[in-house]
Amino acid sequence: AARVLLFGLGDAEKVTNADLRVYAAKAARAANDGKAKSLVLGVPAQVDAERLRFLAEGAVLGAYKFLKYLTGDRRPKAELEKVVLAGGKGGKKGAADAAIKLGQKVAEAVCLTRDLVNEPGNELTPAALADAAARTAKQFGLKCQVFDPKEIDRRGMKLLAAVGRGSANGPRFVHITYTPKKKAKRKLAFVGKGLTFDSGGLCIKPAPGMGEMKSDMAGAGNVVGLMAAVAALAPDV
């Protein structure tokens, strides 16, 4: 190894899943900061195959960077490309691979939300956010409906339509559905606000804070990422 980092996890018998996730995230972030392309992550001896999921989640989350608009010297010369998990208790054949794959998918769903929140408001219009949601639904086999301004008016969504008239970019309403293979025992609904740029505080918000108004769509962005995670977990109840 060209470089070795030591992390303290405390009492081995009290290490939680959240501790494992944070540990892997810090290691991946340090590897990225050190311009490393690969990382070997030591797995505590008491961690079984199923708990590798949380290390995989942390590694993906810690390695995340929003590089879409960086060019030239601003773009990193090297990025973390490979993480190897070494050690642990082991377990049933295939359990480790399944747990790692699930952890990656859940973390990638979180990163999908991060990408949406990091997009500038002039790029992520209501239509663009709806398109991103529809693409995600198609990728994960989810049902998706998108209502344009005419459909919003037709369905009597007057408040949404009224707020949307404040912009040249018309509103969208997105409904994503996951249906389990077995008959569902109950229904859950998650609602996220998707105001792609909140100009309502122009008169009262200090100038340095205006840029963050693009993140007022984080509620909707969270739901898009959540549905990707639900599809990865594929609950059957």
Side-chain angles (χ1 to χ4, degrees):
R3 188 174 301 177
V4 176
L5 294 176
L6 300 179
F7 293 88
L9 283 169
D11 188 334
E13 299 305 318
K14 295 181 180 180
V15 174
T16 66
N17 294 334
D19 292 333
L20 294 175
R21 189 187 292 112
V22 171
Y23 157 55
K26 287 183 176 181
R29 192 175 299 120
N32 250 339
D33 291 343
K35 299 180 175 56
K37 292 186 177 182
S38 62
L39 167 68
V40 176
L41 193 62
V43 180
Q46 75 278 16
V47 174
D48 59 21
E50 291 184 358
R51 296 181 74 194
L52 295 179
R53 165 191 168 178
F54 303 101
L55 290 169
E57 282 183 22
V60 174
L61 294 174
Y64 173 84
K65 287 185 177 182
F66 187 67
L67 305 175
K68 183 176 178 180
Y69 298 103
L70 297 185
T71 59
D73 292 339
R74 296 182 64 199
R75 194 166 186 89
K77 299 297 186 294
E79 298 177 50
L80 184 60
E81 299 172 357
K82 179 181 180 181
V83 177
V84 176
L85 303 182
K89 289 174 63 175
K92 294 181 181 178
K93 184 177 180 181
D97 288 342
I100 291 170
K101 187 176 181 180
L102 179 59
Q104 284 181 284
K105 286 183 177 180
V106 171
E108 286 166 359
V110 176
C111 292
L112 167 62
T113 292
R114 289 174 169 180
D115 282 343
L116 291 174
V117 174
N118 281 324
E119 282 283 356
N122 61 320
E123 290 289 335
L124 195 74
T125 60
L129 178 54
D131 288 345
R135 286 195 304 272
T136 299
K138 183 177 181 180
Q139 178 184 350
F140 291 99
L142 303 171
K143 181 181 177 182
C144 181
Q145 291 178 288
V146 178
F147 302 161
D148 62 12
K150 288 184 178 179
E151 185 65 15
I152 288 171
D153 283 332
R154 190 185 75 79
R155 289 177 178 261
M157 299 176 172
K158 296 181 179 180
L159 184 57
L160 178 59
V163 172
R165 291 191 188 102
S167 172
N169 295 293
R172 297 293 188 275
F173 182 90
V174 181
H175 184 212
I176 303 175
T177 306
Y178 168 81
T179 304
K181 293 181 180 179
K182 298 181 181 179
K183 185 177 180 180
K185 296 179 180 179
R186 59 176 177 165
K187 293 183 179 181
L188 290 175
F190 299 91
V191 181
K193 182 177 72 170
L195 209 61
T196 56
F197 190 88
D198 182 5
S199 61
L202 282 172
C203 297
I204 58 174
K205 183 168 289 295
M210 283 308 300
E212 294 306 313
M213 287 293 90
K214 72 183 181 67
S215 64
D216 217 28
M217 46 60 60
N222 268 315
V223 174
V224 175
L226 169 66
M227 294 309 294
V230 168
L233 290 165
D236 60 359
V237 294

